[in-house]
């Protein structure tokens, strides 16, 4: 199969002055040689989709790539930038993360790996997903939508592992409850690996996520895309291209409208 280049132009949406987007992409890491192929490129592209398809004003988009996406910078972006830019009960927050994730050995905690994170010292150097959500919830936004092109099994987009001792056993991350008002679309189930789509030079999940936001996910042609429609579209495409080895996951309100075309 061939894959069209991503193009966020086309159908327009009404700007949402009350929206903020935090976009993070890490392909090359300081403390692990395992790359997250195209993760930085995915984040760069999603910057345009946040503006053109989600209606986030350019001044309300904060993007961190590779070495700029270290642990302290990510936490400052959440605790300082989001807090200063948001209005209680009025702000719609969007978070996009592409890069490595890893669960604790017992699968109960899930972590996102910043540029300077160490896979063998997760609690000391990585971003705890539960704490990240709690910090965002603390600013009292109206809604939170999170797109995660990462997995927690210890696998990489290129088919390797983050920690050598994991071979050949993958960690199974246990599903966590999500806070009220959060909608989370993740690249893979708990024991799966988030793959890349080599022919398109993007992450498999990210590519079809953005294709869906272009309008492909609006299967009933009502000029809007719900979380459920986007999840269904992305799941069908990702499962087929991965040979049913990767299944995206949705937590939250499937009926929530993410995109309204003009």
């Amino acid at each position: 199969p061939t894959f069209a280049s991503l193009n966020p132009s086309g159908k327009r949406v009404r700007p949402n002055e009350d929206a903020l987007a935090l976009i993070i992409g890490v392909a090359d890491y300081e403390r692990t040689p395992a790359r997250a192929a195209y993760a930085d490129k995915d984040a760069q592209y999603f910057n345009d989709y946040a503006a053109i398809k989600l209606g986030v004003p350019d001044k309300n988009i904060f993007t961190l790539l590779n070495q700029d996406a270290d642990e302290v910078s990510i936490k400052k972006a959440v605790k300082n930038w989001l807090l200063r830019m948001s209005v209680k009960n009025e702000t719609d927050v969007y978070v996009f993360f592409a890069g490595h994730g890893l669960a604790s050995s017992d699968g109960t905690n899930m972590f996102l790996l910043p540029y300077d994170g160490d896979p063998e010292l997760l609690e000391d150097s990585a971003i705890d997903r539960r704490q990240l959500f709690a910090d965002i919830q603390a600013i009292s936004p109206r809604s939170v939508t999170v797109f995660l092109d990462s997995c927690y099994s210890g696998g990489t987009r290129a088919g390797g592992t983050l920690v050598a001792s994991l071979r050949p056993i993958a960690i199974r991350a246990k599903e966590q409850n999500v806070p009220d008002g959060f909608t989370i679309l993740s690249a893979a189930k708990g024991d799966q690996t988030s793959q890349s789509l080599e022919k398109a030079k993007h992450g498999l999940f990210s590519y079809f996520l953005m294709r869906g936001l272009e309008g492909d996910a609006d299967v009933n042609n009502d000029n809007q895309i719900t979380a459920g429609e986007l999840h269904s579209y992305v799941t069908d495409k990702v499962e087929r291209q991965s040979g049913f080895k990767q299944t995206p996951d949705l937590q939250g309100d499937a009926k929530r409208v993410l995109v309204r075309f003009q």
Side-chain angles (χ1 to χ4, degrees):
T2 58
F3 302 95
S5 297
L6 292 172
N7 182 10
S9 62
K11 288 185 174 181
R12 289 275 175 168
V13 302
R14 186 174 293 106
N16 179 2
E17 296 296 331
D18 295 318
L20 300 173
L22 174 60
I23 301 171
I24 302 164
V26 187
D28 298 294
Y29 282 84
E30 182 179 34
R31 291 186 169 87
T32 175
R35 296 187 74 247
Y38 311 118
D40 49 356
K41 180 181 177 183
D42 291 337
Q44 287 176 308
Y45 269 67
F46 194 81
N47 189 98
D48 291 335
Y49 283 80
I52 300 172
K53 297 307 182 189
L54 299 176
V56 184
D58 288 335
K59 62 183 176 63
N60 290 0
I61 300 174
F62 192 25
T63 302
L64 295 169
L65 301 175
N66 293 321
Q67 65 268 22
D68 293 330
D70 58 76
E71 180 189 12
V72 170
S73 295
I74 293 173
K75 289 181 176 179
K76 283 178 66 176
V78 174
K79 294 185 177 183
N80 292 352
W81 182 77
L82 279 180
L83 179 63
R84 292 198 311 268
M85 296 290 289
S86 65
V87 178
K88 186 176 181 179
N89 299 325
E90 293 183 15
T91 299
D92 298 309
V93 174
Y94 296 93
V95 177
F96 176 89
F97 177 87
H100 288 319
L102 191 62
S104 57
S105 57
D106 61 3
T108 57
N109 294 326
M110 288 182 270
F111 297 88
L112 303 177
L113 203 65
Y115 167 75
D116 55 346
D118 189 325
E120 297 188 28
L121 289 172
L122 287 175
E123 293 187 2
D124 297 315
S125 66
I127 306 294
D128 186 309
R129 200 182 89 154
R130 186 183 284 116
Q131 186 60 52
L132 172 66
F133 293 168
D135 290 339
I136 296 173
Q137 188 182 33
I139 71 173
S140 301
R142 176 168 59 186
S143 70
V144 180
T145 306
V146 184
F147 305 101
L148 296 173
D149 195 347
S150 61
C151 61
Y152 307 98
S153 63
T156 70
R157 292 185 177 194
T161 56
L162 283 177
V163 182
S165 60
L166 288 175
R167 291 194 179 108
I169 300 171
I171 297 171
R172 174 182 284 274
K174 298 175 183 178
E175 186 170 295
Q176 296 178 344
N177 293 327
V178 299
D180 291 340
F182 277 59
T183 300
I184 302 170
L185 192 55
S186 305
K189 298 290 188 182
D191 59 346
Q192 297 175 335
T193 298
S194 176
Q195 302 179 25
S196 60
L197 186 60
E198 197 60 37
K199 289 184 178 180
K201 306 299 183 186
H202 282 283
L204 178 58
F205 170 81
S206 288
Y207 175 80
F208 285 112
L209 171 70
M210 290 185 269
R211 281 294 302 273
L213 291 173
E214 287 177 19
D216 288 8
D218 182 18
V219 293
N220 60 357
N221 295 312
D222 64 352
N223 275 331
Q224 63 182 26
I225 299 172
T226 65
E229 284 179 316
L230 185 58
H231 176 245
S232 295
Y233 169 81
V234 173
T235 296
D236 176 64
K237 299 297 184 181
V238 167
E239 284 187 331
R240 291 176 184 277
Q241 294 304 321
S242 68
F244 293 88
K245 294 178 181 178
Q246 180 179 337
T247 300
D249 190 40
L250 172 66
Q251 291 179 277
D253 183 8
K255 295 180 180 179
R256 180 160 178 265
V257 176
L258 301 180
V259 180
R260 286 188 174 91
F261 296 113
Q262 289 182 320

